[in-house]
Short mmCIF file of all heavy atoms in Angstrom, two decimals:
data_model
loop_
_atom_site.label_atom_id
_atom_site.label_comp_id
_atom_site.label_asym_id
_atom_site.label_seq_id
_atom_site.Cartn_x
_atom_site.Cartn_y
_atom_site.Cartn_z
N THR A 37 -4.05 -15.95 -6.08
CA THR A 37 -3.29 -14.77 -5.63
C THR A 37 -2.02 -14.66 -6.45
O THR A 37 -1.69 -13.58 -6.97
CB THR A 37 -2.94 -14.90 -4.13
OG1 THR A 37 -4.16 -14.96 -3.39
CG2 THR A 37 -2.09 -13.73 -3.66
N GLN A 38 -1.32 -15.78 -6.62
CA GLN A 38 -0.05 -15.73 -7.34
C GLN A 38 -0.25 -15.44 -8.82
O GLN A 38 0.54 -14.70 -9.42
CB GLN A 38 0.74 -17.01 -7.09
CG GLN A 38 1.45 -16.91 -5.73
CD GLN A 38 1.84 -18.23 -5.11
OE1 GLN A 38 1.97 -19.22 -5.83
NE2 GLN A 38 2.02 -18.25 -3.80
N LYS A 39 -1.33 -15.95 -9.40
CA LYS A 39 -1.64 -15.65 -10.80
C LYS A 39 -1.87 -14.14 -10.99
O LYS A 39 -1.34 -13.55 -11.93
CB LYS A 39 -2.94 -16.36 -11.21
CG LYS A 39 -2.76 -17.66 -11.93
CD LYS A 39 -4.13 -18.36 -12.04
CE LYS A 39 -4.65 -18.37 -13.45
NZ LYS A 39 -4.09 -19.46 -14.27
N CYS A 40 -2.67 -13.56 -10.11
CA CYS A 40 -2.97 -12.12 -10.21
C CYS A 40 -1.68 -11.30 -10.05
O CYS A 40 -1.43 -10.36 -10.81
CB CYS A 40 -3.96 -11.68 -9.14
SG CYS A 40 -5.62 -12.36 -9.35
N GLN A 41 -0.89 -11.66 -9.05
CA GLN A 41 0.32 -10.89 -8.77
C GLN A 41 1.31 -10.96 -9.94
O GLN A 41 1.89 -9.95 -10.34
CB GLN A 41 0.98 -11.39 -7.48
CG GLN A 41 0.14 -11.04 -6.26
CD GLN A 41 0.69 -11.56 -4.93
OE1 GLN A 41 0.13 -11.27 -3.89
NE2 GLN A 41 1.76 -12.32 -4.96
N LYS A 42 1.47 -12.17 -10.48
CA LYS A 42 2.43 -12.34 -11.58
C LYS A 42 1.96 -11.57 -12.81
O LYS A 42 2.75 -10.90 -13.48
CB LYS A 42 2.60 -13.83 -11.90
CG LYS A 42 3.50 -14.07 -13.09
CD LYS A 42 4.28 -15.36 -12.97
CE LYS A 42 5.41 -15.50 -13.99
NZ LYS A 42 5.37 -14.64 -15.16
N TYR A 43 0.66 -11.66 -13.07
CA TYR A 43 0.10 -10.96 -14.22
C TYR A 43 0.38 -9.45 -14.12
O TYR A 43 0.82 -8.81 -15.07
CB TYR A 43 -1.41 -11.22 -14.28
CG TYR A 43 -2.15 -10.42 -15.32
CD1 TYR A 43 -2.25 -10.86 -16.62
CD2 TYR A 43 -2.76 -9.20 -14.97
CE1 TYR A 43 -2.94 -10.12 -17.59
CE2 TYR A 43 -3.44 -8.45 -15.92
CZ TYR A 43 -3.53 -8.91 -17.22
OH TYR A 43 -4.20 -8.17 -18.16
N LEU A 44 0.15 -8.90 -12.94
CA LEU A 44 0.32 -7.45 -12.76
C LEU A 44 1.80 -7.06 -12.78
O LEU A 44 2.17 -6.02 -13.33
CB LEU A 44 -0.37 -7.00 -11.47
CG LEU A 44 -1.91 -7.11 -11.55
CD1 LEU A 44 -2.55 -7.13 -10.17
CD2 LEU A 44 -2.49 -5.97 -12.38
N GLU A 45 2.65 -7.91 -12.21
CA GLU A 45 4.10 -7.65 -12.26
C GLU A 45 4.57 -7.64 -13.71
O GLU A 45 5.31 -6.75 -14.14
CB GLU A 45 4.88 -8.72 -11.48
CG GLU A 45 4.79 -8.57 -9.97
CD GLU A 45 5.26 -9.82 -9.22
OE1 GLU A 45 5.70 -10.80 -9.86
OE2 GLU A 45 5.17 -9.81 -7.96
N ASP A 46 4.14 -8.65 -14.48
CA ASP A 46 4.60 -8.75 -15.87
C ASP A 46 4.05 -7.63 -16.73
O ASP A 46 4.76 -7.05 -17.54
CB ASP A 46 4.18 -10.10 -16.48
CG ASP A 46 4.92 -11.26 -15.84
OD1 ASP A 46 5.90 -11.00 -15.11
OD2 ASP A 46 4.52 -12.43 -16.05
N LYS A 47 2.78 -7.32 -16.54
CA LYS A 47 2.14 -6.32 -17.41
C LYS A 47 2.65 -4.90 -17.12
O LYS A 47 2.82 -4.11 -18.03
CB LYS A 47 0.63 -6.38 -17.24
CG LYS A 47 -0.15 -5.58 -18.29
CD LYS A 47 -1.64 -5.89 -18.21
CE LYS A 47 -2.44 -5.01 -19.15
NZ LYS A 47 -2.48 -5.45 -20.53
N TYR A 48 2.88 -4.60 -15.85
CA TYR A 48 3.22 -3.22 -15.50
C TYR A 48 4.65 -3.02 -14.98
O TYR A 48 5.02 -1.91 -14.61
CB TYR A 48 2.19 -2.66 -14.49
CG TYR A 48 0.79 -2.68 -15.07
CD1 TYR A 48 -0.24 -3.39 -14.47
CD2 TYR A 48 0.52 -2.01 -16.27
CE1 TYR A 48 -1.51 -3.42 -15.02
CE2 TYR A 48 -0.75 -2.05 -16.83
CZ TYR A 48 -1.76 -2.74 -16.22
OH TYR A 48 -3.00 -2.78 -16.77
N GLY A 49 5.40 -4.09 -14.92
CA GLY A 49 6.80 -3.95 -14.55
C GLY A 49 7.06 -3.61 -13.09
O GLY A 49 8.08 -3.02 -12.76
N PHE A 50 6.12 -3.96 -12.20
CA PHE A 50 6.40 -3.78 -10.77
C PHE A 50 7.44 -4.81 -10.36
O PHE A 50 7.38 -5.96 -10.81
CB PHE A 50 5.13 -4.01 -9.92
CG PHE A 50 3.92 -3.26 -10.38
CD1 PHE A 50 2.67 -3.88 -10.41
CD2 PHE A 50 4.00 -1.92 -10.75
CE1 PHE A 50 1.53 -3.20 -10.83
CE2 PHE A 50 2.87 -1.22 -11.18
CZ PHE A 50 1.64 -1.87 -11.22
N LYS A 51 8.36 -4.43 -9.49
CA LYS A 51 9.33 -5.44 -9.02
C LYS A 51 8.65 -6.51 -8.21
O LYS A 51 9.03 -7.67 -8.24
CB LYS A 51 10.45 -4.77 -8.22
CG LYS A 51 11.38 -4.00 -9.14
CD LYS A 51 12.73 -3.76 -8.52
CE LYS A 51 13.64 -3.10 -9.54
NZ LYS A 51 14.59 -2.17 -8.90
N LYS A 52 7.65 -6.09 -7.44
CA LYS A 52 6.84 -7.06 -6.71
C LYS A 52 5.43 -6.52 -6.54
O LYS A 52 5.25 -5.32 -6.35
CB LYS A 52 7.46 -7.36 -5.34
CG LYS A 52 6.70 -8.39 -4.56
CD LYS A 52 7.60 -9.19 -3.65
CE LYS A 52 6.88 -10.44 -3.17
NZ LYS A 52 6.90 -11.52 -4.18
N ALA A 53 4.46 -7.42 -6.62
CA ALA A 53 3.06 -7.03 -6.41
C ALA A 53 2.48 -7.94 -5.34
O ALA A 53 2.69 -9.15 -5.38
CB ALA A 53 2.28 -7.17 -7.71
N LEU A 54 1.78 -7.35 -4.38
CA LEU A 54 1.13 -8.14 -3.33
C LEU A 54 -0.34 -7.74 -3.27
O LEU A 54 -0.67 -6.55 -3.08
CB LEU A 54 1.78 -7.87 -1.97
CG LEU A 54 3.21 -8.37 -1.76
CD1 LEU A 54 3.75 -7.88 -0.40
CD2 LEU A 54 3.28 -9.89 -1.83
N ILE A 161 -5.35 2.11 -12.56
CA ILE A 161 -4.94 0.88 -13.24
C ILE A 161 -4.87 1.12 -14.75
O ILE A 161 -5.73 1.80 -15.32
CB ILE A 161 -5.91 -0.29 -12.91
CG1 ILE A 161 -5.35 -1.63 -13.39
CG2 ILE A 161 -7.31 -0.08 -13.49
CD1 ILE A 161 -4.53 -2.35 -12.39
N ASP A 162 -3.83 0.58 -15.37
CA ASP A 162 -3.68 0.64 -16.83
C ASP A 162 -3.65 2.07 -17.36
O ASP A 162 -4.14 2.35 -18.46
CB ASP A 162 -4.83 -0.16 -17.50
CG ASP A 162 -4.41 -0.69 -18.86
OD1 ASP A 162 -3.33 -1.30 -18.94
OD2 ASP A 162 -5.15 -0.49 -19.83
N PHE A 164 -0.91 5.61 -17.84
CA PHE A 164 0.52 5.78 -18.10
C PHE A 164 0.97 7.22 -17.98
O PHE A 164 0.19 8.15 -18.20
CB PHE A 164 0.85 5.24 -19.50
CG PHE A 164 0.56 3.76 -19.64
CD1 PHE A 164 -0.75 3.32 -19.90
CD2 PHE A 164 1.55 2.82 -19.47
CE1 PHE A 164 -1.04 1.96 -19.99
CE2 PHE A 164 1.28 1.46 -19.56
CZ PHE A 164 -0.02 1.03 -19.83
N PRO A 169 3.91 2.80 -16.89
CA PRO A 169 2.67 2.50 -16.15
C PRO A 169 2.62 3.24 -14.81
O PRO A 169 3.63 3.28 -14.08
CB PRO A 169 2.75 0.99 -15.89
CG PRO A 169 3.76 0.47 -16.85
CD PRO A 169 4.72 1.59 -17.13
N SER A 172 4.33 2.25 -11.20
CA SER A 172 5.67 1.65 -11.36
C SER A 172 6.76 2.71 -11.21
O SER A 172 7.93 2.42 -11.38
CB SER A 172 5.80 1.00 -12.74
OG SER A 172 5.92 1.98 -13.76
N LEU A 194 -3.91 -3.62 -4.02
CA LEU A 194 -2.60 -4.14 -4.42
C LEU A 194 -1.52 -3.19 -3.95
O LEU A 194 -1.65 -1.97 -4.09
CB LEU A 194 -2.53 -4.23 -5.95
CG LEU A 194 -1.20 -4.73 -6.51
CD1 LEU A 194 -1.19 -6.25 -6.54
CD2 LEU A 194 -0.95 -4.19 -7.91
N ALA A 196 2.25 -2.26 -4.87
CA ALA A 196 3.31 -2.46 -5.87
C ALA A 196 4.61 -1.92 -5.27
O ALA A 196 4.64 -0.81 -4.73
CB ALA A 196 2.97 -1.73 -7.16
N ILE A 197 5.66 -2.73 -5.38
CA ILE A 197 6.95 -2.35 -4.81
C ILE A 197 7.95 -2.22 -5.96
O ILE A 197 8.12 -3.15 -6.74
CB ILE A 197 7.43 -3.41 -3.80
CG1 ILE A 197 6.41 -3.51 -2.66
CG2 ILE A 197 8.81 -3.08 -3.24
CD1 ILE A 197 6.00 -4.91 -2.37
N ASN A 198 8.55 -1.03 -6.06
CA ASN A 198 9.47 -0.77 -7.17
C ASN A 198 10.89 -0.54 -6.70
O ASN A 198 11.77 -0.24 -7.50
CB ASN A 198 8.99 0.45 -7.95
CG ASN A 198 7.56 0.28 -8.44
OD1 ASN A 198 7.23 -0.74 -9.04
ND2 ASN A 198 6.70 1.25 -8.15
N TRP A 247 -9.18 -12.51 -10.51
CA TRP A 247 -8.56 -13.09 -11.71
C TRP A 247 -9.53 -13.03 -12.90
O TRP A 247 -9.13 -12.73 -14.03
CB TRP A 247 -8.08 -14.52 -11.44
CG TRP A 247 -7.45 -15.12 -12.66
CD1 TRP A 247 -7.91 -16.17 -13.39
CD2 TRP A 247 -6.26 -14.66 -13.32
NE1 TRP A 247 -7.09 -16.39 -14.47
CE2 TRP A 247 -6.07 -15.48 -14.45
CE3 TRP A 247 -5.35 -13.62 -13.07
CZ2 TRP A 247 -5.00 -15.31 -15.33
CZ3 TRP A 247 -4.28 -13.45 -13.95
CH2 TRP A 247 -4.11 -14.28 -15.06
N LEU A 250 -9.26 -9.53 -14.18
CA LEU A 250 -7.99 -9.20 -14.83
C LEU A 250 -7.89 -9.84 -16.21
O LEU A 250 -7.34 -9.24 -17.14
CB LEU A 250 -6.80 -9.64 -13.95
CG LEU A 250 -6.58 -8.82 -12.68
CD1 LEU A 250 -5.46 -9.42 -11.83
CD2 LEU A 250 -6.28 -7.35 -12.99
N LEU A 253 -9.23 -7.44 -18.62
CA LEU A 253 -8.80 -6.05 -18.42
C LEU A 253 -8.82 -5.23 -19.71
O LEU A 253 -9.35 -4.12 -19.74
CB LEU A 253 -7.40 -6.04 -17.78
CG LEU A 253 -6.89 -4.67 -17.37
CD1 LEU A 253 -6.26 -4.74 -15.99
CD2 LEU A 253 -5.89 -4.10 -18.34
#
Side-chain angles (χ1 to χ4, degrees):
T37 298
Q38 280 159 23
K39 262 170 110 82
C40 292
Q41 291 177 176
K42 176 148 193 341
Y43 173 86
L44 291 160
E45 285 165 2
D46 292 348
K47 191 170 174 82
Y48 300 121
F50 310 137
K51 287 201 175 146
K52 182 150 195 80
L54 292 174
I161 191 91
D162 207 49
F164 298 82
S172 74
L194 178 86
I197 299 130
N198 304 310
W247 180 246
L250 289 175
L253 187 135

